[in-house]
Amino acid sequence: MTEKKPNRKEQILSTLAQMLETSPGQRITTKSLAAELGVSEAALYRHFPSKARMFEGLIEFTEEAVLGNINKVLEAEKDTLRRCQMILVVVLTFVERNPGITRILTGDALMGEHDRLRSRVQNLFGKIEANLKQALRERRLRENVQTRLDEGVLANLLMAYADGKIAQFVRSEFKQAPTQEFDAQWQTIAHQLL
């Protein structure tokens, strides 16, 4: 039986995410990444044409994981409040398990990087918010229930809550978990929401 050779691209992305986690506030260079991996910078460029493409690889991983799990929630759960709660849990749990990637999501690790990376992160958050808005809108259509606020305003409020929890996580250097106190806070949010 032959042992499976580790995927070098995945290894590069995993190491980059780890370095982002263990070096908060510091810029990761291709030189330091190559040194951490024990390879030359040229070896990195054989797998990724630029550092921006490495960051995009981590953003793509995030999109697939987060949006994929949100789709599962929307398929399995029909209760509006539970859908919104579970969407937030998906996002907050993902960032809690991937602190290095969280620095990319807050823009902290993207200072001085290509603008398209920030746009890509912004689009990801826009898609999450659109899913929340759709879940809230479907309640009105399915149950003929009108909320006090527009669904878009409510979805934005939920995203602002998630954004705040994510920012706290990065500011605390990953000590204040985004899911900390979530259940108690959700009770208050849900009570006000609908």
Side-chain angles (χ1 to χ4, degrees):
M1 189 164 119
T2 59
E3 200 171 299
K4 187 181 176 198
K5 187 178 176 186
N7 180 324
R8 181 60 84 178
K9 273 186 151 181
E10 289 175 10
Q11 191 178 26
I12 292 168
L13 294 179
S14 177
T15 302
L16 175 57
Q18 183 65 36
M19 289 177 74
L20 288 167
E21 177 181 350
T22 57
S23 307
Q26 293 181 19
R27 191 157 190 247
I28 307 298
T29 63
T30 52
K31 183 178 180 176
S32 63
L33 178 59
E36 185 74 22
L37 284 160
V39 299
S40 68
E41 284 185 82
L44 293 179
Y45 291 120
R46 279 195 289 275
H47 298 283
F48 294 96
S50 65
K51 188 167 69 165
R53 283 297 301 138
M54 293 176 208
F55 280 121
E56 280 184 321
L58 291 174
I59 295 168
E60 285 168 14
F61 167 73
T62 304
E63 289 169 340
E64 289 170 14
V66 171
L67 297 176
N69 284 324
I70 287 173
N71 285 334
K72 289 177 187 173
V73 166
L74 295 174
E75 288 172 16
E77 186 60 59
K78 296 305 171 203
D79 178 73
T80 301
L81 280 178
R82 187 83 176 122
R83 278 176 147 190
C84 292
Q85 178 186 17
M86 294 309 300
I87 289 171
L88 291 179
V89 166
V90 164
V91 174
L92 297 178
T93 301
F94 177 86
V95 299
E96 191 170 307
R97 291 179 181 164
N98 298 280
I101 293 175
T102 304
R103 286 190 56 213
I104 295 171
L105 298 179
T106 62
D108 176 56
L110 299 179
M111 294 302 198
E113 300 297 337
H114 202 284
D115 286 343
R116 78 172 183 268
L117 298 171
R118 280 183 288 289
S119 294
R120 189 103 184 246
V121 170
Q122 188 174 357
N123 288 338
L124 170 61
F125 279 94
K127 289 175 184 177
I128 296 167
E129 187 170 331
N131 278 298
L132 287 164
K133 183 177 177 180
Q134 185 62 34
L136 292 163
R137 181 171 286 145
E138 285 176 12
R139 180 176 192 255
R140 177 171 42 93
L141 299 173
R142 189 175 44 250
E143 301 168 26
N144 200 23
V145 174
Q146 188 65 42
T147 58
R148 287 178 284 178
L149 291 173
D150 175 76
E151 290 92 356
V153 173
L154 292 173
N156 183 259
L157 176 65
L158 293 174
M159 281 307 299
Y161 167 80
D163 256 340
K165 296 294 277 184
I166 294 166
Q168 280 180 336
F169 187 47
V170 172
R171 272 195 316 270
S172 72
E173 294 186 355
F174 313 122
K175 290 173 186 70
Q176 190 171 350
T179 58
Q180 184 179 325
E181 308 294 341
F182 176 78
D183 291 335
Q185 292 168 347
W186 176 254
Q187 295 307 315
T188 302
I189 292 169
H191 179 72
Q192 295 298 316
L193 197 59
L194 302 173

